[in-house]
Amino acid sequence: MTEDVLTFVERGVGRIRLNRPKAIHALTTRMCEAMSDALLRWRTDSNVEVVLIDHAEGRGFCAGGDVVMLARSGSEDATEAKGFFFAEYRLNHLLFTYDKPTIAIMDGITMGGGVGISLPCTYRVATENTRLAMPETSIGLFPDVGGGWYLSRLPARVGQFMVLTGARLDGAECRYLNLATHYVEQSGLEELIERIMKAPGRAQGALGAASTPPPPAKIEESLGQTSRLFASDRLEEVIAALEQEDGPWAESTLATMRTKSPLSCKVSLRLLAEGAVREAFADEMRAEYALAGRVVRTHDFREGVRAVLIDKTGEPQWDPARPEGVTDEMLDVLFAPLPPSEQWMPFPAAETVA
Ligand code: QUE
């Protein structure tokens, strides 16, 4: 059987290669655990100077997670879903706190779980094929894997715009927003990786040498609108601002937003508001874990996965159907902390590992 993720050391480089091409390398629990096992070993392996994460055969970097499993588990007792989130968020946090340089090659589709293993890396390479998005409000989920942390720190309320619309950013836009640290044309990736393996101590120089100026970032033209129209943390106020705005941008943005789960949209806005003021990334992941275990049990997540990914009818019937139906009390229940015995915990820090 072929492995869903390949982990090996090659000439001073810890290589992590996603290898589940049939699912655009979407993450499973086993894949997350295998990546964390390798990263934990490499922390103390003096042969490993730098870690490089990319995908093996097939298109796309990583489409997200195994959401069909999550929806099935959420309709049962959610044990398997919670196991996945626990492992995935530990991996996200391990990368965020890793003390060797890490490089993610975000070539092609980079969504959800793929964003979660890219953004914590030291160096994040975008190409002309990069399509980065946090599209979870389309399926009744929310922008997890640290979304509340990263997206709330973007300028001009772009994070709020991204989660409420599912907008896909291209490589130039990722570079412009500093979601990517480098822009490298896809045709230059092979040589870049070869150069990193020739001199892993000089990875930064190799990245700089491989980079080319990105084309203009289209999102720059919309920043006036995103900062003004997505200024509120209240969904009804964002919708009202878009309704009062003339022009095709506001009209198409509003039409897209109306297809998303109102519950997910409100959960997402609150997560970003809370994430903006958190002091530690571990606090973000602890809060997201409590939230994720509850959101997978909602009607909207089951319905979203069914309509968008299983039956592909594209017309999910959300409940509540309208933003006004989603009350603060509903959100309070979803956001409540877990009792200590059930809480998410990061891996122990490196210093305490023998
Ligand atoms: C919104 C999402 C996801 C999505 C589509 C959305 C998501 C996700 C996948 C996905 C795609 C292909 C696969 C797979 C999962 O699609 O999170 O296993 O093969 O993981 O509109 O949030």
Side-chain angles (χ1 to χ4, degrees), residues 13-259:
V13 181
R15 303 270 326 244
I16 292 178
R17 309 204 76 196
L18 304 176
N19 189 38
R20 199 169 162 243
K22 274 179 291 184
I24 321 177
H25 312 290
L27 305 180
T28 65
T29 306
R30 279 197 346 203
M31 289 164 74
C32 294
E33 288 172 348
M35 288 188 264
S36 290
D37 285 348
L39 288 163
L40 290 169
R41 267 186 276 119
W42 297 342
R43 267 201 310 202
T44 52
D45 181 345
S46 57
N47 294 321
V48 175
E49 289 194 61
V50 55
V51 172
L52 176 67
I53 308 175
D54 69 353
H55 68 88
E57 59 170 292
R59 284 176 55 246
F61 173 61
C62 178
D66 189 355
V67 285
V68 172
M69 176 282 280
L70 295 177
R72 180 187 44 72
S73 175
S75 70
E76 299 161 5
D77 67 355
T79 301
E80 202 178 341
K82 288 181 198 169
F84 172 74
F85 292 125
F86 196 86
E88 185 185 32
Y89 299 175
R90 279 191 139 184
L91 169 64
N92 299 148
H93 181 272
L94 180 59
L95 284 166
F96 191 95
T97 56
Y98 211 65
D99 52 21
K100 296 185 183 187
T102 49
I103 306 167
I105 310 288
M106 302 148 63
D107 185 35
I109 288 178
T110 304
M111 299 195 319
V115 174
I117 57 173
S118 303
L119 297 190
C121 288
T122 322
Y123 304 113
R124 306 173 297 276
V125 178
T127 74
E128 71 276 20
N129 298 322
T130 299
R131 297 289 180 274
L132 180 144
M134 292 298 277
E136 289 86 355
T137 55
S138 300
I139 58 167
L141 199 56
F142 66 93
D144 66 341
V145 296
W149 178 279
Y150 301 111
L151 300 171
S152 66
R153 284 163 175 74
L154 293 177
R157 303 287 288 183
V158 165
Q160 285 76 8
F161 165 72
M162 286 176 68
V163 302
L164 296 185
T165 63
R168 292 178 170 208
L169 304 183
D170 66 23
E173 293 173 320
C174 288
R175 179 69 198 97
Y176 176 79
L177 292 166
N178 223 22
L179 293 166
T181 58
H182 295 80
Y183 184 87
V184 177
E185 281 174 22
Q186 207 234 328
S187 60
L189 287 178
E190 208 180 328
E191 192 189 328
L192 169 64
I193 292 169
E194 191 54 40
R195 279 192 67 169
I196 292 169
M197 291 201 297
K198 260 196 192 126
R202 294 201 296 273
Q204 188 171 14
L207 285 160
S211 297
T212 59
K218 292 186 262 40
I219 188 112
E220 192 177 1
E221 291 166 27
S222 307
L223 296 187
Q225 277 136 320
T226 58
S227 63
R228 188 162 46 83
L229 302 170
F230 287 79
S232 176
D233 287 328
R234 283 193 58 82
L235 181 61
E236 290 89 341
E237 291 178 0
V238 175
I239 291 170
L242 286 162
E243 282 172 343
Q244 280 155 35
E245 181 82 1
D246 288 326
W249 190 90
E251 196 183 325
S252 72
T253 299
L254 193 55
T256 300
M257 276 175 58
R258 291 200 198 283
T259 68

